[in-house]
Amino acid sequence: MTENHQKALVIGAGIAGIQTALDLAKTGRDVVLIDKAVSIGGLVTRLDRTFPTNNCDLCSLSPDLSETGRREHIRLMAMTELSEFSGEAGRFEAVLKTRPRYIDPDKCTACGECVKHFSECVGFTPGLLHGAPACMRYPQSTPHAYSIDMDKCRDIEEVAAVCPAGAIFPDDRETFSKMTFGAVILATGAELFDYRILDNFGGGEFPNVVSGLEYERIMSASGPTSGELARPSDGKMPRKVAWLQCVGSRGINQNDVSYCSGVCCMYALKEAIVTKERFKDDIEAAVFYMDMRTSGKDYELYRNRAEQDYGVRLIQSRPHSIMEKDDTKDLELSYISGEESALETELFDMIVLSTGFRMPESMKGAAEVLGIELNRHRFVETPDFSPVETSRPGVYACGVCEGPKDIPETMIQSAAAMSLACRDLGDPRKGEGDDGAPVPERDVRDESPRVGVFVCDCGSNIGGVIDVARVAERAGDIPGVAVSQSAGHGCSAESIRLVQSVIQEQKLNRVVIAGCSPRTHEAKFQDAIRGAGLNRYLLEMANIRDQNTWAHMDQPQASSDKALEQIHMAVERVRLRRPMEDHSLPVNKDILVAGGGVAGMTAALTLAEQGFKVFLVEQSPQLGGMARNIRRTLSGQDVREFVADLIERTLSCGGIEVLTGSTIVDHQGMPGMFSTGVQVAPRMYYRRIDHGAAIIATGALHHTPDAYLLNGHEASITQYDLDSIIEDDPDSVKDWESVVMIQCVGSRDKDHPNCSRICCQTAIKNALRIADASPDARIYVFHKDIRTLGFQEDFYIKAREKGILFFRYDPENPPEARAEGDKIVVGGRDRVLGRNIEISADRLVLSCGMKADDEATEDLAAIFSLNRTADGFFLEEHTKLRPSDLSKPGFMTAGTAHGPKTIRESVAQAQAAAGRAMTFLSEDFIELGSSFAQVDSRRCAACLICVRACPYGVPFINADGRSEIDPAKCHGCGICASECPAKAIQLVQCDDDMISAELNGLFSERPMK
């Protein structure tokens, strides 16, 4: 690693820090990744699963965790923190302090002998503790080594004596490293609120009251009960479990936790669904909430599934206290229900407290060292229109340390921070990207197949359903299998080393990995066997997770049988695999951005600042998008001024070619070598643009449904109308005596089931502005839930303090409106008073959300072959870990084309999409892989069916009158092979012989040699 300004410092090795480090390393930048903890991964590595239910973050993160520890451009420094810091963007001087581990990670094999003999100072049993002296919190721990707590160690020499690897280093000392960095990215995350300080919930004295994270550990296969749901008090399975929301969040009497933590509602629903999924009618699940904040993309559908498909009870209420029954240790919950406003009690076997995020006191010290500002909640202060830039140039913040947020928003910010940090790092130093010289590839063409089968356990995802050891044992009887064994968490660094050593020791020449989806893990395992000297294409994956254990969780025996069948099919297929060579082509570094709103312009400017040529195509005659009609943000920032500046910078930027009034009409090519046709205004001539990547930022539409006299009475307006009236005609607002707002108009209903995310904060923004302009005005807000995420909650509190009244209404009984002269009378139910009320309003303001520009997204989806959600927004590659990437390689999305979001969120995702595009185009050549179609000219009849069928226009009739396919242009989709009536075309690695072999493996007698 070089000591110059090309190097970036990433502080914090949770998912935000890891993703930032990996993306920077992929662009050729050197990264030092530090964390105070003894291992990397952060809080998410202690989760069992996330939502959607069958989506294991730990499984999806595992390749990134282990890759972080082995990439050439990343230096991982655990147990390290920033001690001194000075300088400016482009050249910071830093001193890093590393605590002694007393164990050499390079020698430690995690055999556990030290734990066995000295568990008091070394060991860690995954349980309910938030911290522990060792780093072995989860099976994929990186670095994969223990550490010693010297405060608890009586004699370090005795501990060292039991280590068979000689890895214990008694003389280890604190060290200091002085380095120079071009940019710093802060990704320290946050800690969870300590519920034990709450006396009304037992003060930590009731064993059956646990936090959400502790419940995750109980349900995890690597937890204290090996995944069995058992009450801590007596080990019995609970029959009734309750989740209490907003524990340590939205506390109006505690200023530092008055915000909403943003994730608690979703993880409570996830835990309740997983519980019901596993135990069905044997257990009852109830969630007690103030406002159910399921406002992310498709989150509302997840909430509906919890209620309708799994029978989870959702109870709008205010929990008061928990009392424990002395004899049974059952828990009596007292709460005030939302409807009756009376104190009720209910008995539960177990209660889970959904604890929110809290910044530790140590954040103040870290901010002082870095010289950055914090907000009053001790989170990093960032501007509205640049959400990852701190008060000190060159220092960026991402993830939860910037503010409470869920995993998708964390991943977006990490990519955004990476893209901005690259400005300070200059042109990257190019490298090979692998440690040391590659292992020579063995020539196995003349060898008989010797197949190695490795079955992943993967915690509760696979091992919690099937008997992995038994499946591996039976797979060893399949003809051609030389070795068959369990691989633990197969994508962990330890398991990868195991697979590689077995390949070399047993002279294996084919490998089957039975575990996760090849979509997410195949490349990693291909790299693994290549590291052991095998051609990367001598691998086959049996997807026994997605296609088996997740689908048949309640049928362990049938799942085990099916897993064996899947392995048998994979073995038969891999026996016919042969070594292949990858094809490569030069990368076009230009980028197409579709959409000239805030997201499109931000992405274009971010890329142009890095030296990329950008083509910005906007269908309307002018730039700006929906944001041109917005005047103020919730915090009072001038949106028009921001948009005008953005437009001016975009039009004057030499690296951006702006094409307004233009329409994308066709597209072809492959990732890194795309070609898109555009009809360009004003002369409407056709132009072809060659580019390597594309960002879709076409925005969304303001939804104005025909409801509540809208467009039929001048007193019925939308929040967008009100925004302009307050700015342009403030005197008229002073004359209003009564204003009624109705939320979720055209959202969260049968036709538009999702939340539009922006409506609640927009209503509160405008209500506060009316209250400032006319203090005597009476303002009423009818809502289903108030969804003010993160620090927006402070404005909700301020609105209530100013006397703005909020009335919750049931979706089945919404407010009604009728005209009376120049006013509108709104009728609804006051749940506190328990009776119906009527309000005569000078203005009825409807909070109408966003909807997808269905016509535009449908056309672009067809042209670019992209996927959309049911409500017309573009579908990302991975809900959690790739929220800015689309399913087609080389395509990214940003802003409201992806889903409803605020301007602040759109800016962050635009910067993230730019960062992802930079990462994608970081290499000079495209690796095309080896999957392509081949034509047997002896069978070809030149019927032209393949020419017509190919969506990429690759096949052609050559001079000999036969079809020909250029391997460098073939996408490997296989359409031509399936359409050819003469079977003259075969797809390499997917030919008929391989498919027939798989079928033979499926229908053969269960394996015996």
Side-chain angles (χ1 to χ4, degrees), residues 928-975:
L928 299 177
S930 63
S931 183
F932 61 91
Q934 286 183 325
V935 180
D936 184 347
S937 59
R938 296 170 300 176
R939 294 186 177 186
C940 178
C943 64
L944 298 180
I945 288 179
C946 61
V947 176
R948 298 188 185 103
C950 179
Y952 307 104
V954 176
F956 64 96
I957 304 301
N958 61 22
D960 296 329
R962 298 290 183 265
S963 176
E964 185 175 330
I965 296 174
D966 185 348
K969 296 181 180 180
C970 180
H971 288 235
C973 66
I975 292 176

Side-chain angles (χ1 to χ4, degrees), residues 344-361:
E344 300 184 25
T345 61
E346 189 170 350
L347 205 62
F348 291 92
D349 300 318
M350 198 170 176
I351 292 180
V352 184
L353 305 181
S354 296
T355 50
F357 294 125
R358 186 186 184 103
M359 291 306 294
E361 287 287 343

Side-chain angles (χ1 to χ4, degrees), residues 248-262:
S249 299
R250 304 182 67 188
I252 60 174
N253 296 321
Q254 297 172 300
N255 285 335
D256 61 340
V257 290
S258 61
Y259 52 84
C260 167
S261 286

Side-chain angles (χ1 to χ4, degrees), residues 6-17:
Q6 287 296 321
K7 190 183 299 180
L9 173 64
V10 178
I11 306 174
I15 57 172

